[in-house]
Amino acid sequence: MKIIDRIRNTDRFLSLEFFPPKEREQWPRFFGQVDRLAGLDPLFVSVTYGAGGTFQDNTLEIAADVHRRFGLETMAHLTCVGAKKKGIAEYLDRLRDAGINNILALRGDMPGGGGTDVWKEFRHASNLVEFVKEGWPEIGVATACYPDAHPESPSIDDDLRWTCHKFNAGSDFAVTQLFFDVRRYRDLVRRLESRGIRNPIVPGVLPVLNMQSLNRILALCGANIPLKLYLELQEANESGGDKAVRRKGIEIARRQIKELLELGAPGIHLYSLNNADVCLDILTDLPELDG
Ligand code: FAD
């Protein structure tokens, strides 16, 4: 089933994002985490794709297993930078054969050095959306959007223009990049609405577990964090190290989720970090999210 049809029939939902563990010996532990989180009855789960298409078979195998073993509607992330149409077509067929009917269509990060040869046959995520819509109309397609604007974009307006373009190309809904200032999400939704886009924009929430990973992620994806929150986390780090940061990170994520739901977000996409304890700590006693 296309995820958009599930979203349309739901009030406010939870979805979870997993990443495929690189080493096979980590897979049993990973599936144990999924098993615990399946009890939350997420509307869908998604499985990330290695940068530059690395470990793409892991994405397919994990997505297929999660779908088959736990009965979860699963969306496979798929990047197109540097890919050829033939390879993407074969991959889409394999996904479909494995019962995966939804993808998150992404361009992917430019490999180090960039250069025009990496464009090959797809230049932007919208090209992948069009390709899938044309050849695999039974597959649901979502895309990414950026409350703090994509780091390559010269302006927020420019980024919005291309986000709209992805919807006009056929994207059913979008999942946002992580962000910490709820007002950025509200502004993004309003700006898209003023351009005629009313498709669901699902906010992605990332729990902060330690300062090193926060700093690395912020540098990688270009998201911003309000200084006040950063100082709260830093203070926690100075007084109690990683444990205190984890506690504070969970508190911040819970606050963010409450505010997003109050704003009318259609659901919450939680970056699970493959960590059931963290997700359960965040979601305990929060307003009910439908499956
Ligand atoms: P695009 O939509 O192509 O946008 C990239 C840039 O080009 C933006 O600045 C945009 O404004 C601009 N642009 C878009 N279309 C046009 C156009 N037609 N003409 C001119 N400019 C244009 N990466 C992975 O490798 N694996 C993953 O699993 C993964 N999962 C992600 C999940 C989410 C929810 C998000 C938000 C990101 C994820 N990423 C992942 C990261 C993503 O690949 C990067 O952010 C990448 O740099 C951009 O991908 P995109 O699909 O947004 O690209």
Side-chain angles (χ1 to χ4, degrees), residues 17-18 20 46-54 59 75-81 104-110 119 123-127 143-147 149-163 165-166 174-178 202 204 220-221 269 271:
E17 180 166 313
F18 297 112
S46 79
V47 181
T48 64
Y49 196 72
T54 48
T59 302
M75 173 167 82
H77 296 207
L78 177 58
T79 68
C80 61
V81 65
L104 183 67
L106 299 150
R107 183 198 69 183
D109 286 323
M110 302 295 280
W119 297 120
R123 201 174 169 88
H124 295 290
S126 51
N127 303 134
T143 46
C145 65
Y146 301 82
H150 187 275
E152 286 167 36
S153 291
S155 68
I156 290 182
D157 262 4
D158 198 81
D159 199 43
L160 273 175
R161 176 178 168 209
W162 297 120
T163 300
H165 185 64
K166 290 195 269 194
V175 181
T176 76
Q177 182 60 284
L178 65 102
V202 188
L220 269 178
C221 75
H269 186 72
Y271 293 107

Side-chain angles (χ1 to χ4, degrees), residues 22-250:
K22 278 188 192 145
E23 309 300 336
R24 273 205 178 244
E25 51 272 27
Q26 299 167 332
W27 286 24
R29 187 179 178 281
F30 166 76
F31 286 120
Q33 301 293 301
V34 179
D35 193 16
R36 289 178 62 204
L37 290 170
L40 292 170
D41 199 17
L43 190 76
F44 69 93
V45 299
S46 79
V47 181
T48 64
Y49 196 72
T54 48
F55 303 107
Q56 61 184 31
D57 284 347
N58 285 0
T59 302
L60 197 147
E61 205 176 324
I62 292 263
D65 271 11
V66 165
H67 175 63
R68 198 187 59 242
R69 287 167 62 169
F70 305 100
L72 296 169
E73 195 65 65
T74 305
M75 173 167 82
H77 296 207
L78 177 58
T79 68
C80 61
V81 65
K84 289 196 180 289
K85 286 187 175 167
K86 188 167 176 286
I88 294 280
E90 284 167 7
Y91 194 75
L92 288 166
D93 284 342
R94 288 171 65 204
L95 281 175
R96 191 185 45 196
D97 294 348
I100 306 299
N101 297 312
N102 293 278
I103 66 153
L104 183 67
L106 299 150
R107 183 198 69 183
D109 286 323
M110 302 295 280
T116 47
D117 58 322
V118 300
W119 297 120
K120 295 208 173 130
E121 298 179 17
F122 298 93
R123 201 174 169 88
H124 295 290
S126 51
N127 303 134
L128 180 56
V129 175
E130 284 157 359
F131 186 69
V132 179
K133 285 277 156 187
E134 197 179 314
W136 293 260
E138 69 282 16
I139 290 187
V141 183
T143 46
C145 65
Y146 301 82
D148 292 321
H150 187 275
E152 286 167 36
S153 291
S155 68
I156 290 182
D157 262 4
D158 198 81
D159 199 43
L160 273 175
R161 176 178 168 209
W162 297 120
T163 300
C164 291
H165 185 64
K166 290 195 269 194
F167 284 114
N168 294 331
S171 173
D172 300 326
F173 68 98
V175 181
T176 76
Q177 182 60 284
L178 65 102
F179 61 97
F180 294 97
D181 190 339
V182 168
R183 293 170 301 180
R184 298 296 180 99
Y185 169 79
R186 184 201 58 198
D187 290 351
L188 172 67
V189 172
R190 282 188 184 164
R191 287 185 167 124
L192 287 170
E193 278 176 4
S194 73
R195 286 165 170 78
I197 303 294
R198 297 193 174 272
N199 306 54
I201 308 295
V202 188
V205 172
L206 176 89
V208 176
L209 298 187
N210 61 64
M211 294 308 281
Q212 300 89 294
S213 66
L214 172 66
N215 291 335
R216 190 171 39 83
I217 287 167
L218 291 177
L220 269 178
C221 75
N224 297 317
I225 183 165
L227 185 60
K228 187 171 172 294
L229 286 191
Y230 193 83
L231 292 177
E232 275 182 39
L233 288 160
Q234 210 169 37
E235 202 180 299
N237 194 34
E238 276 156 22
S239 62
D242 284 356
K243 267 194 180 164
V245 174
R246 184 186 191 276
R247 265 198 308 277
K248 179 57 73 179
I250 286 172

